[in-house]
């Protein structure tokens, strides 16, 4: 079966009647679980999964932290915007974005035009616990994660709220969040 045929089957799958031929984009703060939840959601919807950060690293042939260090955040955000626009071309898929992707107006516009956006939201305590497990996030290097996440949340949450759907993630397994998303998609 060709990838085109698989995409058509996925779009017409009974589990996702409300997404049509659009991709699903997961947006939200770092640590909310966009990649982990995205993989599970893609399996559930019979769609491919793509992590935008992985695609950015592949395109640049360097880690995101290296891009930030070498070229700065503005350069990274421009590349991120281009990669997300490319990912939205073609067959529907589930895409996990970096925490700052949806903040960029041009990126948000492309997402609005070509995808269904879902804001995954979680309490600050959950985010702090999750981001503290690994030390690879450039915006947290050498800083207090709670303070950074609180400041980012204050600035970003009103923008994330522009997503088409809003789903809360909590400390329960990610499968529960996928169930909540599925309920929203089938309303």
């Amino acid at each position: 079966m060709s990838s085109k045929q698989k995409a058509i089957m996925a779009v017409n799958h009974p589990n996702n009647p409300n997404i049509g031929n659009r991709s699903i984009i997961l947006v939200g703060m770092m640590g909310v679980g966009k990649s982990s939840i995205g993989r599970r959601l893609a399996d559930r919807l019979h769609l491919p999964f793509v992590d935008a950060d992985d695609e950015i690293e592949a395109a640049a042939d360097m880690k995101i932290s290296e891009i930030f260090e070498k070229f700065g955040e503005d350069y990274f955000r421009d590349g991120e915007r281009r990669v997300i626009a490319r990912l939205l071309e073609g067959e529907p898929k589930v895409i996990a974005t970096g925490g700052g992707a949806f903040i960029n107006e041009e990126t948000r516009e492309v997402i609005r035009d070509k995808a269904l956006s879902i804001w995954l939201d979680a309490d600050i305590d959950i985010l702090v616990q999750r981001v503290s497990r690994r030390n690879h996030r450039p915006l947290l290097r050498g800083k207090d994660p709670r303070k950074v996440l609180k400041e980012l949340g204050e600035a970003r949450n009103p923008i994330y709220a522009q997503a088409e759907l809003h789903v809360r993630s909590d400390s329960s397994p990610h499968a529960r969040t996928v169930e909540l998303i599925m309920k929203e998609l089938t309303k």
Side-chain angles (χ1 to χ4, degrees):
M1 180 180 302
S2 75
S3 58
K4 181 88 169 163
Q5 289 169 316
K6 287 179 186 174
I8 290 168
M9 283 179 58
V11 168
N12 294 321
H13 194 275
N15 283 344
N16 58 348
N18 296 328
I19 65 169
N21 63 354
R22 298 185 298 167
S23 289
I24 293 176
I25 297 259
L26 301 177
V27 303
M29 292 290 289
M30 65 179 90
V32 77
K34 296 178 298 286
S35 296
S36 178
I37 291 166
R39 283 184 190 87
R40 288 170 174 81
L41 181 62
D43 279 347
R44 184 75 180 269
L45 294 173
H46 308 285
L47 291 171
F49 171 76
V50 180
D51 187 308
D53 284 350
D54 292 345
E55 293 293 316
I56 292 163
E57 289 181 345
D61 196 28
M62 62 177 64
K63 297 283 184 197
I64 289 173
S65 58
E66 294 173 309
I67 299 169
F68 265 77
E69 287 171 22
K70 218 172 194 177
F71 303 106
E73 186 174 358
D74 288 343
Y75 179 90
F76 169 77
R77 295 295 174 206
D78 185 54
E80 179 179 55
R81 177 190 50 75
R82 289 191 316 265
V83 166
I84 290 172
R86 176 180 52 83
L87 292 174
L88 288 172
E89 297 300 323
E91 301 167 354
K93 59 190 75 66
V94 175
I95 303 169
T97 63
F102 201 64
I103 305 310
N104 179 290
E105 177 62 39
E106 289 178 63
T107 303
R108 223 171 28 255
E109 193 64 37
V110 169
I111 291 170
R112 258 189 227 115
D113 290 345
K114 298 186 176 188
L116 171 73
S117 56
I118 301 174
W119 173 24
L120 296 180
D121 187 16
D123 292 330
I124 186 98
D125 292 333
I126 292 168
L127 296 175
V128 170
Q129 178 187 10
R130 289 179 183 168
V131 301
S132 298
R133 294 178 191 155
R134 296 188 346 208
N135 186 24
H136 70 286
R137 301 175 193 275
L139 295 178
L140 296 179
R141 284 252 164 84
K143 298 176 184 166
D144 174 17
R146 178 174 298 280
K147 183 177 186 234
V148 172
L149 289 167
K150 186 175 184 302
E151 290 170 0
L152 286 173
E154 288 170 1
R156 292 178 175 182
N157 286 348
I159 298 170
Y160 292 146
Q162 295 176 35
E164 290 180 67
L165 299 176
H166 180 193
V167 175
R168 297 276 303 161
S169 177
D170 58 25
S171 60
S172 61
H174 288 314
R176 181 177 182 280
T177 305
V178 171
E179 287 303 319
L180 293 172
I181 293 170
M182 293 302 296
K183 285 180 185 174
E184 287 296 318
L185 292 176
T186 56
K187 280 185 177 178

